[in-house]
Amino acid sequence: MISTRKLTKDFVVSRTDTVHAVRGISLDVEPGELVAVLGPNGAGKTTTLRMLTTLIAPTSGTATVAGYDVTTDPGRVRRQIGYVGQGNGAGHSQRVTDELSGQGVIYGLDRRAAKRRAEELLESLELKDLAQRKVSDLSGGQRRRLDVAMGLVHAPGLLFLDEPSTGLDPQNRANLWDHILRMREQYSMTIVLTTHYLDEADSMAERVVVVDHGEVIADDTADALKAKLAGDQLIVTAAPGNLPELARLAEKLLGAREVVADCDRLSLRVADGPAALPELIGSAQQYAVPVATAQVIRPTLDDVFLNLTGRTLREADSTGKAAA
Ligand SMILES: Nc1ncnc2c1ncn2[C@@H]1O[C@H](COP(=O)(O)OP(=O)(O)O)[C@@H](O)[C@H]1O
Ligand SMILES: [Mg+2]
């Protein structure tokens, strides 16, 4: 559905200042995938999406989207895709239903078909009761749902969503996700979205592409990224005198890393926590250094990011400004 090779975008800001926003991204997305592009502010997420949706031209490299080259065939690409940009917040005095059917007409539907399609989408996205409201009167969550409807009006097989849930409260985020996942099912869509919410990428996307400073630094399922890059943390408590022996066992038997003893508590990292835990407890018993309590803490995508970049995603900001 998408294939990019060494896709690059430089913004020439002045004679002496060029921003290397995207530095050679190679990415493949299969039909039906839901891919989250995760990265801090300024990482190049929006720029990448704008190239894939033909809004800006790549500086170099290639990208095919829905079978067409973004540079030589932008018109055909546009007909196959929907794009919901990063919210602009601009007020509109149009009514919701007119805004939506108007978008359909722009995409080449006749008025009747556009109206029908608008009604169907308002129904699916639970906006029907708001159809006669002015767009400017919608709440943030309702507005974002309308944005998604606008991206779906011409029934694209591929939908790009740029930070769809940024600025929404947790309940509205969950609600928007519900709708996105249902739309995906209903219209068998491929979805590429960007987010800087770790938990969101973690729970919603099957695949997470982590970008930083314009480059892909990891690309896999959230589970695989966590297993590969961070591993699980084990925390066991035991009599303080037994901790050195437990630490030795953990290192020898489990290949544990980051082994830290503190009072009666031993913390360590292993590749597969649920498998390692019974092994450690069993050997501890055997060596007469019993464990009192034990727990496995699975890593988050923030641990993955930290592991890859030495920064936490919350602190990270590729533009050098304070993160939002
Ligand atoms: N039109 C532009 N002109 C100059 N620099 C830009 C332009 N658009 C984006 N940038 C810069 O490119 C980098 C990547 O931006 P962007 O793709 O918006 O990041 P993200 O969406 O991941 O936050 C940032 O340093 C940003 O300031
Ligand atoms: Mg952005």
Side-chain angles (χ1 to χ4, degrees), residues 183-203:
M183 295 284 105
R184 177 196 184 199
E185 212 47 20
Q186 197 173 342
Y187 300 111
S188 332
M189 277 185 301
T190 308
I191 298 182
V192 176
L193 64 94
T194 69
T195 182
H196 62 246
Y197 291 122
L198 293 152
D199 54 333
E200 194 164 279
D202 201 344
S203 57

Side-chain angles (χ1 to χ4, degrees), residues 202-224:
D202 201 344
S203 57
M204 302 302 175
E206 289 124 23
R207 185 173 149 205
V208 182
V209 175
V210 187
V211 294
D212 192 30
H213 298 301
E215 286 178 293
V216 173
I217 55 172
D219 177 356
D220 212 326
T221 65
D223 282 344

Side-chain angles (χ1 to χ4, degrees), residues 11 13 19 21 40-47 319:
F11 290 107
V13 185
V19 179
N41 279 332
K45 304 181 296 296
T46 295
T47 304
T319 61

Side-chain angles (χ1 to χ4, degrees), residues 272-310:
D272 183 351
L277 192 59
E279 204 180 325
L280 180 63
I281 293 174
S283 323
Q285 210 102 43
Q286 220 175 317
Y287 288 89
V289 283
V291 165
T293 68
Q295 61 174 319
V296 179
I297 299 174
R298 314 225 67 167
T300 65
L301 282 179
D302 210 19
D303 296 323
V304 171
F305 193 81
L306 179 66
N307 219 304
L308 285 166
T309 66

Side-chain angles (χ1 to χ4, degrees), residues 119-147:
E119 275 166 19
E120 185 186 315
L121 284 167
L122 290 176
E123 170 92 54
S124 307
L125 286 156
E126 284 181 74
L127 288 166
K128 214 174 159 192
D129 296 343
L130 305 172
Q132 298 307 322
R133 293 260 183 97
K134 287 182 186 165
V135 174
S136 53
D137 292 342
L138 299 182
S139 73
Q142 293 164 345
R143 176 64 206 258
R144 226 42 197 140
R145 253 150 54 210
L146 176 62
D147 289 342

